[in-house]
Amino acid sequence: MDVPVLKQGHFLIATVQSALTDADLAQLRRSLVEQVGKFRSRGVIVDVTAVDVLDSFACRTLRDIAHMAGFRGAETVIVGIHPELAFTMVQLGLSLEGVATALDLEEGLAYLQERTTPAARKSSPLATRGAGRGPVSRGQR
Amino acid sequence: MPTRGTPTPNISTATATATAEAASTLLRELVAHLRQNRTQLREEWARRITEAELLTAMTKEEIFAEATSVYDNYVEALETGTFEALQAYARNLSERIIPRGVETHEVVGIVLLLRDVLARSLFAKYQTDFTKLNRILDAYEPAANRIANTVAVGFVQERERIIREQQEAIRELSTPVLQVRERLLILPIIGVIDPQRARQLTEQLLRGIRTNRAKVVVIDITGVAAMDATVANHLVQTVEASRLLGATVIVTGLSPEIAQTLVTIGVDLGKMTTVGDLQGGIEEAERLLGYKVVPFVEGAVEA
Amino acid sequence: MASAERIRIRTDRDILLARQRGREMGQTAGFVATDLTLIATAISELARNIVLYAREGMLEIHLVAEDARCGLLIVARDHGPGIADLTRAMQDGFSTSGGLGLGLPGVKRLMDSFEIDSYPGLGTTVRIAKWRRS
């Protein structure tokens, strides 16, 4: 099952729509890293809202995506991890250390906007400040 | 073939061959007797209850009113052989008297007293006909036992249900997830944290983060007296899981003792942001959220 | 009472199938959402170990009820190369370091019980169980 990757300005948005096999995950990683180079993307969002299991292999793949995209100049943020999933992941010892996470696509976009807009604001460790969110919303996808 | 109809002290065989029909005739006779002597018997019962100092939380009038209802349900159960009405009544009664502090032994006590009062009246009535008395008692006792059982079990079940509800309510109350302002949650933890509570707390917080779209969470553990390795690891896991949902956790109120413990057992404090007290934690949270700290708050901190 | 599923594990598709079945049976057993995720994840880890290390094996999911409790018993069995150093495989850092870990300590943490038998050259059997919270 292919994961659709949308190009939105400087960002790539991959929306995982169903459970992925290991081969699908590997394919997603290849495809994203390739497209980051091709489009000279500044950010990658992987939306896992529809995912019901993130096991060690899936977490490792997500981390690899973040690192590999990072080497090619794009920051990655994983969005939409469900509470039950988060609970399970930390019990397994998989906390995606060093990879940015956000509540949903909207938050993820706001985070990347903030991180990639030079001198917009002084850098904050958080994605958003107060109510002022990024201009891109879910509806514009 | 056991002897029958002859006056014999051999109680166990006296009614062994009594047909079901004979038993139901006996029960009918018994029910008629209990109906005829209703006033006197339930007065006797209520008096015995007071004497035995049972149901002390209730007034004499209340006891008499309940005694009447139990008595009528009791006789009906004997007559029909069905226990649903009695069961429902027992549950209803329990619901009313449990909040007033009536104990299990009191409920069992009053039902046994009724059994006793009724048995005595049967003795009095049939004392001249020993065989008949035996047969009546054989018909009465299994039914009476079942009634006693039904009422006592109904009470205990109701009590357990209430206790479960209260425990649930206490657990919910003990870990409130409070939204103090947009995108900021506070979780004050008070008391003892066992693994079960730690898990419940984490799940509650994670759900809270999602529904409130929180970006920062302040977990205040000022009210936690002690923390062992297991609970400390739960705390670390809660921090990590919150981050996976995109929220930053600030832990406040770590006592010197707990800090010492955490260092000793090797918990990685680097994984969490800690601030001395709750107020400092909220200020840090507001800074992260981009709120400006207004001057009088700074003044209050210095004071 | 007994209800069981046996799933042959050979490819990464079988891993998905196994965890889907585990989730369904967990639902039948009345597990809460978080526990369903824990169970599906544990199955995923065990099934992947079969695919990666033994190439082929069997995963059984049993719905069990005993002593007034209800839960799932999951058995993963293969005739692969076995695990030479079980002690090391059960050490935490070994599995989550990002290398080719087996994820076994993690699986153990997700479940209520965990047993493993492994004989080099003969194969590995892992038994895990999760009981429904009352």
Side-chain angles (χ1 to χ4, degrees):
Chain A
M1 159 118 212
D2 262 0
V3 176
V5 179
L6 248 93
K7 187 174 163 294
Q8 165 97 41
H10 291 301
F11 307 139
L12 295 175
I13 302 167
T15 310
V16 184
Q17 283 163 333
S18 67
L20 296 182
T21 64
D22 297 2
D24 296 334
L25 279 161
Q27 167 63 31
L28 173 66
R29 185 189 58 209
R30 263 196 309 277
S31 145
L32 277 176
V33 174
E34 201 182 287
Q35 293 186 58
V36 163
K38 187 169 154 198
F39 299 117
R40 303 176 66 200
S41 301
R42 309 281 304 275
V44 174
I45 293 176
V46 182
D47 186 350
V48 295
T49 308
V51 171
D52 72 333
V53 170
L54 281 177
D55 62 4
S56 57
F57 186 83
C59 285
R60 199 152 59 224
T61 308
L62 291 177
R63 211 180 45 194
D64 289 353
I65 288 173
H67 289 170
M68 291 162 89
F71 286 135
R72 310 200 72 184
E75 176 150 12
T76 301
V77 54
I78 312 296
V79 307
I81 297 176
H82 274 275
E84 303 95 68
L85 228 54
F87 187 82
T88 306
M89 287 162 71
V90 296
Q91 296 249 305
L92 260 183
L94 310 163
S95 54
L96 291 176
E97 268 174 64
V99 182
T101 47
L103 192 71
D104 54 21
L105 190 56
E106 184 182 338
E107 291 292 321
L109 279 167
Y111 173 79
L112 286 181
Q113 298 275 358
E114 175 121 355
R115 296 279 294 191
T116 55
T117 310
R121 296 186 183 105
K122 274 199 119 179
S123 75
S124 149
L126 283 180
T128 55
R129 298 167 174 223
R133 289 188 204 126
V136 185
S137 75
R138 184 186 286 274
Q140 287 170 263
R141 239 168 82 197
Chain B
M1 186 80 181
T3 50
R4 197 181 160 192
T6 44
T8 161
N10 190 344
I11 297 166
S12 64
T13 56
T15 58
T17 56
T19 59
E21 203 184 310
S24 80
T25 314
L26 286 169
L27 269 180
R28 267 204 300 281
E29 189 175 331
L30 175 65
V31 167
H33 169 69
L34 299 183
R35 287 238 162 87
Q36 258 162 35
N37 298 281
R38 178 172 178 262
T39 308
Q40 181 225 324
L41 286 173
R42 74 199 151 112
E43 268 167 13
E44 165 76 1
W45 183 34
R47 190 180 58 75
R48 294 276 305 272
I49 291 173
T50 318
E51 262 176 29
E53 294 184 6
L54 296 171
L55 304 182
T56 45
M58 295 161 76
T59 65
K60 257 196 159 113
E61 293 71 32
E62 283 174 323
I63 291 177
F64 190 72
E66 296 294 357
T68 303
S69 304
V70 177
Y71 189 95
D72 293 341
N73 275 292
Y74 194 108
V75 174
E76 197 197 309
L78 273 179
E79 186 177 31
T80 59
T82 57
F83 293 79
E84 283 77 14
L86 182 72
Q87 232 161 13
Y89 177 74
R91 258 200 306 273
N92 177 286
L93 173 69
S94 306
E95 213 173 298
R96 277 181 285 125
I97 61 179
I98 287 167
R100 305 183 58 176
V102 175
E103 299 287 340
T104 312
H105 78 89
E106 294 183 275
V107 171
V108 175
I110 63 163
V111 181
L112 291 180
L113 270 183
L114 177 58
R115 192 180 186 286
D116 191 49
V117 167
L118 300 187
R120 271 164 202 271
S121 91
L122 294 174
F123 274 115
K125 183 175 160 78
Y126 298 104
Q127 56 186 334
T128 53
D129 187 349
F130 198 57
T131 312
K132 181 100 184 247
L133 175 62
N134 276 332
R135 286 168 55 206
I136 287 271
L137 285 178
D138 278 349
Y140 168 64
E141 276 174 348
N145 287 346
R146 215 178 136 189
I147 290 171
N149 213 4
T150 303
V151 174
V153 168
F155 182 84
V156 171
Q157 281 175 346
E158 182 63 22
R159 217 174 123 97
E160 282 171 355
R161 191 186 64 77
I162 289 176
I163 290 171
R164 266 200 307 277
E165 268 181 19
Q166 286 173 342
Q167 279 174 340
E168 196 53 42
I170 289 168
R171 268 207 294 272
E172 290 280 323
L173 273 179
S174 63
T175 52
V177 179
L178 312 167
Q179 180 169 27
V180 276
R181 58 166 75 204
E182 208 193 343
R183 330 219 74 187
L184 172 57
L185 294 180
I186 293 187
L187 180 69
I189 306 177
I190 295 161
V192 181
I193 312 176
D194 55 25
Q196 199 199 340
R197 188 175 166 213
R199 176 183 166 146
Q200 190 221 357
L201 193 145
T202 307
E203 288 184 40
Q204 219 174 311
L205 176 64
L206 295 178
R207 278 197 303 270
I209 289 172
R210 204 172 166 82
T211 47
N212 295 294
R213 300 181 58 81
K215 294 230 55 118
V216 184
V217 177
V218 179
I219 300 181
D220 181 61
I221 56 168
T222 311
V224 177
M227 197 176 270
D228 61 11
T230 316
V231 172
N233 281 322
H234 273 296
L235 186 63
V236 174
Q237 287 182 351
T238 306
V239 172
E240 290 178 343
S242 303
R243 192 195 75 85
L244 287 174
L245 265 65
T248 303
V249 175
I250 299 167
V251 179
T252 64
L254 268 161
S255 68
E257 293 77 21
I258 291 181
Q260 178 66 52
T261 313
L262 296 185
V263 170
T264 310
I265 60 183
V267 169
D268 189 358
L269 283 173
K271 282 184 178 174
M272 38 179 153
T273 311
T274 53
V275 174
D277 60 6
L278 181 57
Q279 185 176 353
I282 293 174
E283 282 165 15
E284 173 65 12
E286 290 178 336
R287 195 186 66 76
L288 290 179
L289 287 166
Y291 290 110
K292 275 221 176 102
V293 178
V294 288
F296 80 86
V297 174
E298 282 177 336
V301 175
E302 283 161 14
Chain C
M1 126 173 177
S3 164
E5 282 265 6
R6 283 164 61 84
I7 302 137
R8 180 182 286 274
I9 306 293
R10 270 186 298 200
T11 69
D12 57 355
R13 295 210 164 272
D14 299 330
I15 302 175
L16 291 197
L17 180 73
R19 71 192 194 204
Q20 186 53 39
R21 286 279 181 281
R23 188 176 275 278
E24 284 161 14
M25 287 180 72
Q27 248 154 8
T28 310
F31 279 99
V32 298
T34 304
D35 284 340
L36 292 177
T37 306
L38 294 178
I39 291 165
T41 309
I43 289 175
S44 196
E45 296 290 307
L46 295 186
R48 175 164 299 97
N49 281 347
I50 291 177
V51 173
L52 286 183
Y53 299 100
R55 283 160 177 250
E56 178 170 352
M58 198 61 98
L59 195 122
E60 293 168 19
I61 309 170
H62 302 267
L63 191 59
V64 287
E66 59 178 48
D67 304 337
R69 59 178 185 171
C70 177
L72 288 191
L73 169 70
I74 295 148
V75 185
R77 191 176 283 126
D78 69 60
H79 300 290
I83 302 166
D85 192 344
L86 262 187
T87 318
R88 196 159 161 248
M90 292 309 294
Q91 272 167 14
D92 230 331
F94 180 65
S95 63
T96 55
S97 58
L100 290 172
L102 298 169
L104 293 176
V107 172
K108 188 177 177 181
R109 275 195 299 274
L110 298 186
M111 306 302 280
D112 293 327
S113 73
F114 179 99
E115 283 168 47
I116 181 164
D117 290 308
S118 189
Y119 303 97
L122 292 174
T124 304
T125 303
V126 183
R127 284 187 185 78
I128 56 176
K130 186 93 190 161
W131 302 106
R132 198 179 66 198
R133 286 186 280 164
S134 52

